Amino acid sequence: MNDEQTLGAAFGIGKALVRDAIWDQDRCNWLGPMNDTFLGSMLSGYGSLGPSIYDGTAGIALFLAQLGKITGDPIVTRTALGAINHATSRYSDCPDTVSLSFYTGQVGVGYAAITIGQLMDQPALVDSGKRIIVDVLSADLQGKCVLDVMLGVSASIPAIISLEDTLGRDVIKAPLLAWGDKILNLATEDDAGLSWNTTSEMQVNASGADWMEPSSTAKPNLLGYGHGACGIGLALLELGIAFDVPAMVSAGKRAFDYESHWFDDAQQSWPDLRYHGDTTATGRTEVAWCHGSTGIGLARLRAFALTGDPVFQAEAKTASRLTQQTLMTRLKPQTNMCLCHGVCGDVELFINDHDTLSGDEDLVVGAVQDFIANTFVDADRPFPYGGGDRHQPPGFMLGLAGTGYALLRTMNTGKPPSLLCVGNG
């Protein structure tokens, strides 16, 4: 697809979201899949969305705002504002245990409000986002997820640093360094490097996937971007470089060392340590943003940009090769198209600085674009997200808004910034 066709596909998703929005004065929301606790058990259901980036109205707002800016469509723009108005009015609905998170918590809502406010020249929205983030920066860390990218502060740190000019360096420096100190205090150090027991933190403060449940068998600390060593290590690198703290930089590099230690030369992969010791498990060498080579590659691309260390570049190339091999086998009608663990997350690795990787990036992006055009857009077929043809979540990391954003990211000109690894292009 050329840029005009790609934008047309993204606009098709935008029109569907606009159509399905449910309005209340200047706010709008959507219905979609959700998880909630009922009689002590986490159950899947269907209901109105929360405010988060991950699967709530802030994420949808970010996509629609970028789409509205590019197309100039007033209805798309109005719906983006309605979505972010809902998110900012309900940001405290984010579960307290994950309130520090960029993807699932209040930081993401504040970031979205500032970004959209600046994009659409809405100073009141920028002010609202600033208030949300400043409040989060002063919050007590007790009882909250701190560590990882998905639920803790490791994505919030680079996101807030990227807003330094808006928030003020003096406002963000001390709280962010306190977050970094907390991360370091929770680290496990051995000969391999630094790592963190994110699984135990999730068992206390979150629930859901089987792999989060307590196990009688001790497992190594996780690898990967979403819940593992490189996501946390990258946050420490960002902190150390932004505020000139060599100890943070060193600790960040030690986290990457831990992950490099686990690389399996025979299998040519980073093992998925969620399944360590389970010889019957599938997905032991996952390729995704959350777990596996896609996120590992994105973290190393950013680490290379920050440090210029050729080791990071070499490992980014390895991750790119592994992701490409798997991605090209996933271009099938039933493949999940989400950002978190699907095709649209994988393609993000090939959108960045081509000089850093192998040079095949345009071919990979083109193959994904053609697959989307031929299989879904031209055939007027719904995008698959793991729940059958009728399962069309509207949200960002698991659904339509994320697919639309990924399409905008594959454009040659005018593409929005990365939200899968803030700072990466």
Side-chain angles (χ1 to χ4, degrees):
M1 289 193 288
N2 58 33
D3 276 4
E4 183 180 359
Q5 294 167 322
T6 302
L7 181 58
F11 190 54
I13 292 174
K15 287 190 292 185
L17 290 169
V18 166
R19 176 198 65 201
D20 294 340
I22 301 169
W23 284 87
D24 175 23
Q25 299 183 48
D26 67 342
R27 302 179 300 170
C28 65
N29 200 342
W30 286 262
L31 296 175
M34 57 180 296
N35 295 318
D36 206 352
T37 302
F38 182 72
L39 296 179
S41 298
M42 183 65 72
L43 300 176
S44 297
Y46 204 79
S48 59
L49 305 186
S52 73
I53 285 180
Y54 191 85
D55 57 2
T57 53
I60 298 174
L62 282 165
F63 163 57
L64 292 177
Q66 294 289 352
L67 181 66
K69 184 69 173 180
I70 296 170
T71 64
D73 188 279
I75 301 176
V76 170
T77 299
R78 175 176 176 265
T79 309
L81 289 172
I84 194 60
N85 285 340
H86 170 269
T88 55
S89 72
R90 305 295 302 186
Y91 75 94
S92 60
D93 289 353
C94 295
D96 191 54
T97 54
V98 297
S99 60
L100 308 179
S101 167
F102 176 75
Y103 291 103
T104 57
Q106 297 176 11
V107 170
V109 177
Y111 174 94
I114 292 171
T115 301
I116 295 168
Q118 292 173 337
L119 197 65
M120 296 185 171
D121 193 22
Q122 297 279 333
L125 198 51
V126 174
D127 290 342
S128 179
K130 289 168 64 175
R131 285 193 298 272
I132 291 170
I133 291 181
V134 169
D135 285 348
V136 175
L137 288 171
S138 64
D140 186 357
L141 303 185
Q142 186 66 34
K144 295 179 172 65
C145 285
V146 174
L147 293 173
D148 68 11
V149 160
M150 190 80 81
L151 304 176
V153 303
S154 291
S156 296
I157 287 170
I160 292 172
I161 290 172
S162 75
L163 299 174
E164 178 182 328
D165 290 345
T166 300
L167 296 168
R169 186 175 180 85
D170 292 340
V171 172
I172 68 174
K173 180 177 179 180
L176 290 187
L177 289 176
W179 287 1
D181 288 337
K182 180 69 171 179
I183 290 173
L184 291 179
N185 289 336
L186 294 170
T188 300
E189 184 166 17
D190 56 26
D191 291 342
L194 286 183
S195 63
W196 290 265
N197 190 353
T198 56
T199 305
S200 289
E201 187 178 71
M202 286 183 285
Q203 288 166 0
V204 173
N205 296 315
S207 60
D210 291 342
W211 60 269
M212 293 184 190
E213 297 302 316
S215 171
S216 58
T217 305
K219 297 180 181 179
N221 293 337
L222 298 180
L223 312 179
Y225 187 68
H227 297 292
C230 68
I232 302 171
L234 181 59
L236 294 174
L237 270 185
E238 296 271 10
L239 263 180
I241 291 171
F243 299 115
D244 193 21
V245 184
M248 292 280 184
V249 175
S250 177
K253 291 180 177 179
R254 290 285 286 152
F256 284 96
D257 289 343
Y258 173 81
E259 203 163 72
S260 301
H261 164 81
W262 278 98
F263 186 79
D264 187 331
D265 287 318
Q267 296 294 325
Q268 280 294 292
S269 66
W270 285 272
D272 190 335
L273 297 181
R274 293 176 296 172
Y275 308 108
H276 183 71
D278 183 354
T279 58
T280 66
T282 58
R284 283 171 290 167
T285 56
E286 186 64 71
V287 174
W289 170 83
C290 48
H291 298 278
S293 59
T294 304
I296 285 170
L298 286 171
R300 278 156 177 76
L301 279 178
R302 179 60 180 162
F304 177 65
L306 289 169
T307 67
D309 188 332
V311 172
F312 290 134
Q313 181 181 24
E315 292 185 341
K317 289 182 177 180
T318 298
S320 171
R321 173 174 54 81
L322 297 175
T323 301
Q324 180 176 345
Q325 289 172 355
T326 299
L327 174 59
M328 300 306 286
T329 69
R330 287 179 172 171
L331 302 183
K332 301 174 182 178
Q334 68 273 23
T335 299
N336 195 313
M337 293 297 293
C338 78
L339 288 177
C340 184
H341 45 266
V343 166
C344 288
D346 292 338
V347 76
E348 173 72 19
L349 182 55
F350 303 93
I351 293 170
N352 296 282
D353 181 3
H354 294 187
D355 293 337
T356 306
L357 297 177
S358 63
D360 293 335
E361 291 76 35
D362 285 340
L363 295 176
V364 177
V365 172
V368 172
Q369 289 178 321
D370 290 344
F371 166 68
I372 290 173
N374 297 333
T375 308
F376 305 112
V377 178
D378 294 345
D380 196 24
R381 178 176 180 161
F383 293 101
Y385 295 103
D389 284 348
R390 296 184 182 275
H391 182 77
Q392 293 277 281
F396 191 77
M397 292 299 291
L398 299 177
L400 289 167
T403 300
Y405 200 90
L407 283 166
L408 297 181
R409 287 279 295 152
T410 66
M411 292 172 57
N412 292 310
T413 58
K415 61 186 175 187
S418 175
L419 292 175
L420 294 187
C421 186
V422 174
N424 257 350

